[in-house]
Each structure stands twice: as C-alpha cells, then as structure tokens.
Amino acid sequence: MTDKAQTPERSLPVVQGGVEVPRALKPPVKPEALRHRNFRDDEFWKQIPAYREIDEATFLDHRWQAKKSITKPAKLLDAVQDLVSDAFIEDVKEGFAHAPMSVRVSPYMLSLIDWKDPYNDPIRRQFIPVGSSLLPDHPKLDLDSLHEQADAPTPGLTHRYPDKALFLALDTCPVYCRFCTRSYAVGIDTEEVEKVSLKANSQRWERAFAYIASRPELEDIVISGGDAYNLRAEHIAHIGNRLLEMPNIQRMRFASKGPAVMPQKLLTDDAWFSALAGVVERGRKLHKEVVLHTHFNHPNELTAISKRAMDRCFSAGITVRNQSVLQRGVNDCPDVMQLLIKRLSYVNVQAYYVYMHDLVKGVEELRTTLDDALEIEKQVRGLTAGFNTPTFVVDAPGGGGKRDAHSFEHYNRETGVSVFRSPNVCPDALYLYFDPIDRLSDAGKARWADPAEHDSIIEEAKQAARERLR
Ligand SMILES: *Cc1c(COP(=O)(O)O)cnc(C)c1O
Ligand code: SF4
C-alpha cells in the first residue's frame, strides 16, 4: 500500500553521517521560532548623536557607562532632541514634572530605545514618563505597599517569611525604574516623595548582621537595595563573607538590575566581578549557595553584550536567575514574554518570577490586570524547561508576601479585586490586589467612581473569599 498523502521530500530518506534521519512528525520550524538566538550585535549606540564618535571599547567601559548615565530630565532631552518631535519633548517634561522617582538612565538603555517610535518603545516606557499617558492612581494605593518597613526589626532588614530575610544594603541603583516598589527609599529625594534613609553604612549593616546571626531559623538572605551593582567590590566581599561565616546562613542572593541595564560592568569591572565570583566560590567550598538575581523585562534588553556578560558569569560558576515585572505595553503579551524567556534560557539565566506590578504611585498606566497575568502564564508554561519557566506572583499588598497568581481565593473581574491568603506569613489574614481601574468594565469603573462604594467593594470580596473557605 502506498501513502498518497506523503510529500515527495518526505519519501526521500535523508542520510547524514551514514545514518538515515528519522522522518519528522512535526512540520519544520519557522525562522521566527529561533529568533531568541539573534542577539543585537550592531553599534546601536551610534543612533544617539552624543555617542556617534564612541567606539566599542569606550561603550564597554563600565566607568564610562556610569559617568555618562543621565540623571537630569533636561540632559536626557538634550541627548535625544534631534531624534524626536517637539511635542514628544513637551510630553516628557510633563511626565517628569509628576514623577515620584529619581531619574537615572544608562547610555546602554538610552541607546536601546527605538527613538523613531518612542511612544511604543518598551524600554522608554520603563524609564521615561510621558505626561499624556499618566492615569490617576488607584484609590487603594499607598507608598511601601509591601509593608517592607513594618516588617523590619532594624532599618533595611525585612524579616517576613520564616527562613529568609531581605537586606537592603544601600539606596542607590545603576538606573532608576519608574515602577520601583522601593520608591519610598531608593534614589535622591524628589519633590513628590521624601525618602527613608538607607545609605550604605557599616553601623546599620552591623545591626542587620547581629539580628541575622541571632535568629537560627534564618538560612537565606536577599541582598538588595537599591542595587548590589552599586556596592563597591570590598562591600560585596565584606557582606558576602560576613553572611557565609554565620553557621545558620545557607543561601544568599545578590539582587541587581545591573546585568540588564549595564552588562558592561560584568565584562570590564574586574574587581567587582572577582569579588562576586570569590564569594560564590567560597560559598561552594562551604556548601552554601550564592547566586545573582537580576531583572530583565524585555527581550530587547538582551544584546550580544548581555550574552557575553552572562557567559562570563556562567564560566565563573555564578548562577543567574531573573525576576521580571509584568508591565502594560512592555511585556504583557504572550509573544514578548515567550521571547524573553527563551532568550534568557539561551544565556543560562533562569526565569524565576514574573511579578504583578505593585501598586506604585504615578505608574498606573504600566499595571495590568490579574487576568492578563493568568492568560500569559498559560501561554508561557510548556514552552521550555520547567526550571526556566517563571512563576507568576502577586506580592500581596499589606505584607502578605509573594503569592502564586493562580492561587486567589476569590477574584471579582468586575471590580478587579482579588483576595489571597498567605498561611506562612499570617494564617488568618486576607490580602487584596487591585486591577487598574481603567481596564475594568463600565460597571466596575462606575463603582470605583463613587468613594462611598469602596468599603463595600472590599467587604464583598473578603466575604466571598471567607464563604469559599468555610
Ligand atoms: C521576595 C522576598 C524574599 C525572597 O523570596 P523568594 O520567594 O524566596 O524569592 C524574602 N523576603 C522578602 C521580604 C521578600 O520580599
Ligand atoms: S533597579 Fe530595582 S530597586 Fe532600583 S529603581 Fe529599579 S526596580 Fe527599584
């Protein structure tokens, strides 16, 4: 019997190295399926007039990247004024006038923005506000929505979960993200926010170390800030060694956005890189895990420079994991999230978490609904290895900690209120997350428009959760 449906190509056996290649059951993949392997490798920075004469060696120099990082809105606009319209400039000025965050953008990030289409660019949206897209904040928003300060036995150390704690070693970052949860502490004061002081300060650190050593249940420390990139090499070694020497500490992670926004440092700041690699190495000898956690949000942030930086980490035995924030117009579509995860996996970075955007002032237009997260999660899981597949989490406002986005007790899609429990943090408490109001149905918007309704919206949601739990 002959198979009429067979195509001529399939009927000809392909022989490779003396072995017949088994016939495929799947159609050949399209080139798009492999586009995660294409890392941008041109001199992309030369699109910025001020960087036109900058050669590769200079662009790779971390000192140049740090020195040329832009911290004033006016300077930023100067750098791109020949690339964008006057209307866009005015719009950015308006955006900065309302921004509660400090500004800092690295030349690397600035050059990766597509200035021909700045409104839709995913990197522009993360760092540079425009007045025309600002939305009113959600009425349930407050600063430090994660209650990091309330769970802090000493300034800059949050002990919420049983066996792990968050150590905010300093208050500066290589860039400042518009959407930062820690805008209560990070960066210099802006007109909108007076910050809590968390400077790199050895006395404050000693108090944190004394607390950590005094709690035998603590095994795992997240060293964040601010950002570990801005710690000096000696500080990385000092903090790392102090913690490694504590018998109770078994794991630690240095958290830094740096690899995403300034991969150059991993390639050219040998002192810093060696300090980190040294702590990792010493940890390995002591059978303790030391890793680097970073924060890529969009596949465009991963260039050939990033690949070299991640390859250097991998060669030195430094495990890198990634935590993204789900943001509207940045990575809230399955296609982009899939590409991000595949590209991260390709450079041996494990996609660990995707966070629902916290309730942060002045960035409502970047938040998505929980429903969006649930759908994107489904589109992502099964794409690649499970250990490279992120868990989508809600960092529950009010200090509930991270909850699996799918684990809500109740979710009212009309009012956008979801209710979570967090038994390891507080067995009886209910924690609420709020979808952005502009994404709700007209009925949902109408209810939030009336302040007298707010308490009953919340009470209803809690009641529905309690009924389910009975
Ligand atoms: C995120 C976080 C941690 C670490 O949590 P993991 O789920 O292990 O990544 C620890 N403490 C606090 C306060 C945190 O917010
Ligand atoms: S790098 Fe991290 S801590 Fe710093 S501003 Fe961005 S999100 Fe906040």
Side-chain angles (χ1 to χ4, degrees), residues 365-402:
E365 95 271 12
L366 287 177
R367 295 204 305 125
T368 62
T369 64
L370 182 66
D371 219 17
D372 292 334
L374 300 177
E375 178 56 27
I376 295 168
E377 197 276 346
K378 283 178 194 150
Q379 302 276 350
V380 156
R381 190 158 296 277
L383 178 73
T384 189
F387 52 76
N388 280 332
T389 304
T391 305
F392 283 61
V393 292
V394 177
D395 209 341
K402 300 170 191 74

Side-chain angles (χ1 to χ4, degrees), residues 171-196:
D171 61 0
T172 63
C173 301
V175 291
Y176 292 121
C177 315
R178 292 179 55 209
F179 50 89
C180 183
T181 304
R182 307 224 171 91
S183 50
Y184 67 85
V186 161
I188 37 184
D189 286 357
T190 62
E191 273 175 37
E192 300 265 329
V193 187
E194 242 181 86
K195 315 279 177 184
V196 177

Side-chain angles (χ1 to χ4, degrees), residues 272-283:
W272 194 91
F273 186 87
S274 305
L276 178 64
V279 178
V280 170
E281 178 77 32
R282 184 163 177 226

